[in-house]
Amino acid sequence: MADPVQGPIEPGQTIGILGGGQLARMLALAAARLGLKTIVLAPEKDSRPVLGVAWRHLDADYDDKSALKELAAHSAIVTYEFENVPVAAVKYLASRVPVAPGHGPLETTQDRLLEKRFLAGLGIETARFDDVTHAEDLATAGAATGFPAILKTRRGGYDGKGQVKVAAADELAKAWNELGKVPSCLEGFVAFDGEASIVAARGVNGEFAAFDLTENTHRNHILWTSRVPARWNGAMTEKAHDIARRIGAAFDYVGVFAVEFFVVGNKLIVNEIAPRVHNSGHWTLDGAETSQFEQHVRAICGWPLGATRRHSDAEMTNLIGEEVNAWAKLAEEDNAHIHLYGKREARPGRKMAHVTRTWPLGRFPGKPA
Amino acid sequence: MADPVQGPIEPGQTIGILGGGQLARMLALAAARLGLKTIVLAPEKDSRPVLGVAWRHLDADYDDKSALKELAAHSAIVTYEFENVPVAAVKYLASRVPVAPGHGPLETTQDRLLEKRFLAGLGIETARFDDVTHAEDLATAGAATGFPAILKTRRGGYDGKGQVKVAAADELAKAWNELGKVPSCLEGFVAFDGEASIVAARGVNGEFAAFDLTENTHRNHILWTSRVPARWNGAMTEKAHDIARRIGAAFDYVGVFAVEFFVVGNKLIVNEIAPRVHNSGHWTLDGAETSQFEQHVRAICGWPLGATRRHSDAEMTNLIGEEVNAWAKLAEEDNAHIHLYGKREARPGRKMAHVTRTWPLGRFPGKPA
């Protein structure tokens, strides 16, 4: 393990980033504002968004040791933009250069079962869940979760991929076959009133800060809108902050992370943890004193965390696939802030851009859905 | 002259920028947010701030025709970050690619005498002034302006360079010698109550938008602080907007420009025009719905102008030379937004960074000075 960072990383130094998508792009732009350079390691096919906004780009796979070495050599600190980077790459880097967040949160959040067990160990409520390693586990798991339930692969799922809904016990075997008989986790279905998330940050000395509770909607399992204020009251925000604080402390986390919740009555049930900046925090670019991207840079560089106050009410909407063609129309809207990711091809389901509409504090139009 | 832009410039296209300082840097970052690429032409010694934030950098002098050709070939539109780029370069580019703003505002604002005459022609009040081409003109000019006065070279002056204060008629000859007997402009001294500026934008179809009147202070002739709200009332903002609107229309201007004022009682006396984004508009990055940099990109690309509303009260402070070393201390302040320009050497008088402190609307602490 490399030595931990001694004192803050200074303007002029370089941040290494694994991954070259829109999150890396927005991290690079935030770093530039603070006088920090960025070097990105990502295979070319994924890295359009960072071309021209990062100082350097290493076009290589995440398991390319010579590229990882080069990344480490240039970087004062390395971070990652998504949780599916190989743990081995992060461990290899960590032997040469400080990495934040470390491989611990990565290992836990890459595996739905480990993630649920981690949360249960902290006494944080999740959906009922059970391990399904072999076909024989299906019946026990079904008894543990009840129905309806969702069978999810332990690893590699995102945006609704790697999961099948199961209405009753007799559908379990079919779902198991459909997912390819890979190690999975059966989760009880949560009949939620709404979905929410918290984007939080933890500094090198355990300093904690979190943005306001965000109310989210999804479409085809992909985040569609994020709104602040959420429709729930301040006590719910405090509960969410408390959960995030405990998660951050348990990981000894450094950087920004997100916790996604199901809201049931006045209960918050954790759905998942993302060890990175998060789509539901994009509104902070236009509605908060500090953006989640600057906050992540501050945290991993050992700077004090920035203020998380909102200066505006806000609603972020993702532009998926061809929806990006609405940019010209959106540019006419008086309160719309457009962010385009520089991707060439508007493939279906691909996050191409987002727009955040803002209003003066307290002037969010109508009650959130 | 190249054809004017047909329809808006689209995400994925490229903006050419002459100049590679902090204004180009912040333009490049704003363009990236909108999915636009940037290519910068600037000699290496000036271009540290844009390294790593622009898509490409052409390391060349402004009169290098092959570099200008290359810039034109890559760009859908070309703009400039400062008013001392050679008019010949802009004219050469304009024969190959649309340029905004054009060479007209450049020619006028590069010459203090032409600028004053342009303003006088619009019936806009300036300090009394007179042309000093030969030593024999000094006495007439002194009679026209009265004393104290300031003798300024017509061309090339900035941040207090190229000017000498003249207390009485018998000091004129000495000042003339000191400036090297170059074509100059004698200006009557304005005993002002304060200094202010307006940052405004004009779109391709004459659309006009301006930010709030900003109250400025200078130190050693270099901008030190900019505050919004200014201490003057809304009627003064309207006057300033009216002046900017008339200037923009007379130039048939496209892009962002600034007008600097002396405030005397309830009068606004124009000091100078900057045909570009302006240091006194940096607060818009953290206090307004649209930053002046995004506004310039929108204007020159034929997009609708963005909203100029403030969401916060704000005070911008320049960090000059060694003052940049305060970054770590400033990072601890709850309401300080730090912008570092990526310059290596903190030379005396060099603008290294700025910080903008923000407060909720109406909560500016105390009365501006």
Side-chain angles (χ1 to χ4, degrees):
Chain A
M1 182 72 105
D3 290 334
V5 178
Q6 301 297 323
I9 288 168
E10 303 201 350
Q13 290 191 278
T14 302
I15 299 171
I17 304 176
L18 291 170
Q22 65 268 19
L23 301 180
R25 177 185 177 89
M26 292 185 272
L27 284 170
L29 294 173
R33 209 185 95 161
L34 299 178
L36 293 150
K37 295 190 292 185
T38 45
I39 177 167
V40 169
L41 189 159
E44 164 72 17
K45 63 175 164 42
D46 298 328
S47 63
R48 284 275 141 208
V50 292
L51 289 185
V53 301
W55 169 63
R56 282 196 59 189
H57 168 222
L58 303 172
D59 172 12
D61 288 320
Y62 299 113
D63 55 4
D64 178 333
K65 287 219 171 151
S66 87
L68 290 169
K69 252 186 229 180
E70 197 178 346
L71 185 74
H74 284 295
S75 303
I77 182 88
V78 171
T79 189
Y80 43 85
E81 68 144 6
F82 70 130
E83 61 272 36
N84 288 324
V85 295
V87 169
V90 168
K91 284 187 171 169
Y92 181 78
L93 284 166
S95 69
R96 300 173 162 266
V97 60
V99 178
H103 62 86
L106 207 55
E107 284 182 305
T108 301
T109 60
Q110 280 183 357
D111 184 319
R112 290 181 189 281
L113 186 68
L114 296 189
E115 186 178 54
K116 289 273 192 303
R117 285 182 177 156
F118 165 80
L119 289 163
L122 295 175
I124 293 169
E125 187 167 357
T126 66
R128 283 159 299 167
F129 68 94
D130 204 9
D131 180 11
V132 181
T133 306
H134 310 285
E136 304 84 86
D137 301 330
L138 287 167
T140 338
T145 63
F147 295 94
I150 307 170
L151 189 65
K152 298 179 176 179
T153 59
R154 283 176 59 174
R155 305 181 67 87
Y158 68 97
D159 286 352
K161 294 178 182 68
Q163 54 178 270
V164 178
K165 200 167 170 188
V166 184
D170 60 2
E171 292 179 8
L172 277 168
K174 185 166 162 274
W176 170 248
N177 288 336
E178 222 171 289
L179 291 179
K181 305 181 183 180
V182 295
S184 296
C185 178
L186 189 68
E187 297 181 15
F189 185 79
V190 177
F192 55 78
D193 304 321
E195 292 175 278
S197 60
I198 276 291
V199 174
R202 199 161 173 278
V204 288
N205 299 320
E207 184 188 1
F208 176 87
F211 295 99
D212 283 0
L213 187 69
T214 301
E215 180 172 355
N216 304 320
T217 65
H218 290 75
R219 200 178 40 161
N220 306 323
H221 296 282
I222 300 174
L223 182 69
W224 185 21
T225 64
S226 292
R227 294 166 168 191
V228 277
R231 78 180 107 149
W232 304 288
N233 65 20
M236 290 290 266
T237 296
E238 276 171 44
K239 272 187 204 179
H241 283 195
D242 178 61
I243 291 170
R245 193 181 281 108
R246 285 152 63 200
I247 291 171
F251 277 139
D252 196 14
Y253 198 92
V254 175
V256 162
F257 63 102
V259 185
E260 292 187 73
F261 303 102
F262 299 123
V263 183
V264 181
N266 62 0
K267 280 202 309 190
L268 289 172
I269 297 172
V270 173
N271 180 27
E272 59 184 38
I273 305 166
R276 53 168 169 83
V277 288
H278 192 260
N279 198 165
S280 71
H282 288 1
W283 65 265
T284 59
L285 282 165
D286 301 297
E289 289 292 324
T290 307
S291 78
Q292 66 167 344
F293 304 100
E294 174 170 339
Q295 191 75 305
H296 186 67
V297 170
R298 282 173 166 258
I300 65 174
C301 289
W303 293 32
L305 298 182
T308 54
R309 279 188 307 279
R310 276 194 298 120
H311 57 69
S312 298
D313 287 357
E315 181 181 54
M316 188 283 317
T317 305
N318 273 331
L319 303 180
I320 309 288
E322 300 281 340
E323 290 173 354
V324 70
N325 297 330
W327 67 267
K329 193 85 196 132
L330 290 166
E332 291 173 11
E333 284 188 33
D334 181 58
N335 64 336
H337 306 266
I338 308 169
H339 301 256
L340 289 137
Y341 304 153
K343 295 179 183 176
R344 282 197 185 162
E345 237 189 303
R347 291 197 296 268
R350 195 174 200 205
K351 291 174 181 171
M352 299 298 294
H354 74 266
V355 59
T356 300
R357 296 179 175 90
T358 56
W359 298 267
L361 278 182
R363 302 272 281 280
F364 196 100
K367 212 179 162 62
Chain B
M1 180 75 104
D3 290 335
V5 178
Q6 301 296 324
I9 288 168
E10 304 201 348
Q13 290 192 277
T14 302
I15 299 171
I17 304 176
L18 291 170
Q22 65 269 18
L23 300 180
R25 177 185 178 90
M26 292 186 272
L27 284 169
L29 293 173
R33 211 186 92 160
L34 299 178
L36 293 150
K37 294 189 294 184
T38 45
I39 176 167
V40 169
L41 190 159
E44 163 73 18
K45 64 176 165 40
D46 298 328
S47 62
R48 284 275 140 209
V50 291
L51 289 184
V53 301
W55 168 62
R56 280 197 58 191
H57 168 223
L58 304 173
D59 172 12
D61 288 320
Y62 299 112
D63 55 4
D64 178 332
K65 286 220 168 148
S66 87
L68 290 168
K69 253 185 226 178
E70 196 178 347
L71 184 74
H74 285 295
S75 302
I77 182 88
V78 172
T79 190
Y80 43 87
E81 69 144 5
F82 71 129
E83 61 272 36
N84 289 322
V85 295
V87 169
V90 169
K91 284 187 172 169
Y92 182 79
L93 284 166
S95 68
R96 299 173 163 267
V97 61
V99 178
H103 61 86
L106 207 55
E107 285 182 304
T108 301
T109 59
Q110 281 182 357
D111 184 320
R112 290 182 190 283
L113 186 68
L114 296 188
E115 186 178 54
K116 289 274 191 306
R117 285 181 177 158
F118 165 80
L119 289 163
L122 294 175
I124 293 170
E125 187 168 355
T126 66
R128 282 159 301 167
F129 67 94
D130 204 8
D131 179 11
V132 181
T133 306
H134 310 285
E136 303 84 85
D137 301 331
L138 287 167
T140 337
T145 63
F147 295 95
I150 306 170
L151 189 65
K152 299 180 176 179
T153 59
R154 283 175 59 173
R155 306 181 66 88
Y158 67 97
D159 286 353
K161 292 176 182 69
Q163 55 177 270
V164 178
K165 200 167 169 191
V166 184
D170 60 1
E171 292 179 9
L172 277 169
K174 184 166 163 272
W176 171 250
N177 287 336
E178 223 171 289
L179 291 179
K181 304 182 183 181
V182 296
S184 297
C185 179
L186 189 67
E187 296 182 15
F189 185 80
V190 177
F192 55 78
D193 304 322
E195 293 175 278
S197 60
I198 276 291
V199 174
R202 199 161 172 278
V204 288
N205 300 320
E207 184 188 3
F208 176 87
F211 295 99
D212 283 359
L213 187 69
T214 301
E215 180 172 354
N216 303 320
T217 64
H218 290 75
R219 200 178 39 162
N220 306 323
H221 296 281
I222 300 173
L223 183 68
W224 185 20
T225 64
S226 291
R227 295 165 168 191
V228 278
R231 78 180 107 150
W232 305 287
N233 64 22
M236 290 290 267
T237 295
E238 278 170 42
K239 273 187 205 179
H241 283 196
D242 178 60
I243 291 171
R245 192 181 282 107
R246 284 153 63 201
I247 290 171
F251 278 138
D252 196 14
Y253 197 93
V254 175
V256 162
F257 63 102
V259 185
E260 292 187 74
F261 303 103
F262 299 123
V263 183
V264 180
N266 62 359
K267 281 202 308 190
L268 289 172
I269 297 172
V270 173
N271 179 29
E272 59 184 37
I273 306 165
R276 53 169 169 83
V277 289
H278 192 259
N279 198 165
S280 71
H282 288 1
W283 66 265
T284 59
L285 282 164
D286 301 296
E289 289 292 325
T290 307
S291 78
Q292 66 166 345
F293 303 100
E294 173 168 340
Q295 192 76 306
H296 186 68
V297 170
R298 282 172 167 258
I300 65 173
C301 289
W303 293 32
L305 298 182
T308 53
R309 278 189 307 279
R310 276 194 298 121
H311 57 68
S312 299
D313 287 357
E315 181 181 53
M316 189 282 317
T317 304
N318 273 330
L319 303 181
I320 310 286
E322 300 281 339
E323 290 173 355
V324 69
N325 298 329
W327 67 268
K329 192 83 197 136
L330 289 166
E332 291 174 11
E333 284 188 34
D334 181 58
N335 64 335
H337 307 264
I338 307 169
H339 301 256
L340 289 136
Y341 304 152
K343 296 179 183 177
R344 281 196 186 162
E345 237 188 301
R347 291 196 297 268
R350 196 174 198 205
K351 291 174 180 171
M352 300 298 295
H354 74 266
V355 59
T356 300
R357 296 179 175 90
T358 56
W359 298 267
L361 279 183
R363 303 270 282 278
F364 196 101
K367 211 177 165 59

